[in-house]
Amino acid sequence: MQFLYIIASVLAVVAAQDYEIHPQMIVNRYPEWYIRSEYSHPRFQRDLSVDKKTEDVTLDHKTSPDGRIFGTLGSRDEALFGKAGYQRNVFDDHRGKLDASAYGSRVLTPYGDSSNLGGRLDYKNDHSAASLDVSKQIGGHTAVDAAAGGRWPIGRNGDFTMQGTYSRFGPLQDYGARAGLNYRW
């Protein structure tokens, strides 16, 4: 329930910025006269967008060169939903690239409500990649998904690949592995 209050608070802050949706403003670019008006304070482009088909409101705000906040509010049939999260690039250099994110969602329906919280790590470099995703349904099971793989060159035209996966949802577990030899003639 607290997660719903957090999402509502974020929306109240965004709505307090006097944001009006006009059909010509749905595009992500504002005309120059709107941003630099001599009769008003300077306005800045907001990071909100509205999907024309589903009418979902989406926020994608860059907080720093390495981080961003994202979220979506919408409805489908009889359900209301909200998703929000934070994504950050931990490093992107000679070691490879590591991204981390934390996210949550809340769904309200006449048949029941659900809340999910989770986090994800993604690592990638020239010869390997790995990911870990852990999520928890409030009042339910924890889900863990992990995958890793590598590619090693063999000569000029070939490479050897190996991948492994692990998934767990509550008491159910699943493992997988795959190896391959690729040669381009």
Side-chain angles (χ1 to χ4, degrees):
M1 189 66 167
Q2 293 173 349
F3 185 74
L4 183 60
Y5 292 130
I6 292 171
I7 289 177
S9 299
V10 169
L11 286 176
V13 168
V14 170
Q17 295 180 3
D18 194 25
Y19 182 74
E20 296 180 19
I21 299 176
H22 297 288
Q24 62 267 36
M25 291 175 49
I26 292 179
V27 195
N28 281 339
R29 304 211 187 279
Y30 290 96
E32 186 65 25
W33 60 266
Y34 185 77
I35 296 173
R36 308 250 185 258
S37 174
E38 58 200 54
Y39 301 109
S40 66
H41 298 290
R43 293 182 176 242
F44 301 101
Q45 180 175 349
R46 292 175 177 80
D47 301 323
L48 288 174
S49 63
V50 177
D51 187 352
K52 291 181 182 180
K53 290 182 182 179
T54 61
E55 298 181 358
D56 295 345
V57 177
T58 302
L59 168 73
D60 192 357
H61 178 70
K62 194 165 186 133
T63 58
S64 67
D66 298 331
R68 71 182 186 99
I69 296 172
F70 57 91
T72 303
L73 286 175
S75 65
R76 301 285 184 279
D77 298 329
E78 298 177 350
L80 298 172
F81 68 89
K83 301 184 282 189
Y86 178 72
Q87 184 177 21
R88 181 165 181 88
N89 179 274
V90 179
F91 61 80
D92 187 2
D93 54 17
H94 66 280
R95 300 172 287 181
K97 181 178 180 181
L98 179 64
D99 292 322
S101 61
Y103 56 87
S105 67
R106 177 80 173 150
V107 178
L108 303 171
T109 67
Y111 312 109
D113 307 337
S114 68
S115 298
N116 292 306
L117 298 173
R120 181 174 181 88
L121 288 172
D122 290 306
Y123 173 77
K124 184 176 184 179
N125 69 11
D126 293 337
H127 298 288
S128 63
S131 66
L132 174 66
D133 190 344
V134 179
S135 62
K136 167 81 172 154
Q137 182 176 5
I138 305 302
H141 294 290
T142 300
V144 177
D145 290 316
R151 179 179 62 85
W152 298 273
I154 299 174
R156 288 179 30 192
N157 295 331
D159 58 30
F160 175 72
T161 61
M162 185 180 290
Q163 300 171 353
T165 61
Y166 170 75
S167 296
R168 187 186 88 204
F169 182 72
L172 306 174
Q173 295 183 9
D174 186 29
Y175 304 91
R178 183 178 123 180
L181 178 62
N182 301 315
Y183 193 80
R184 292 168 287 287
W185 300 98

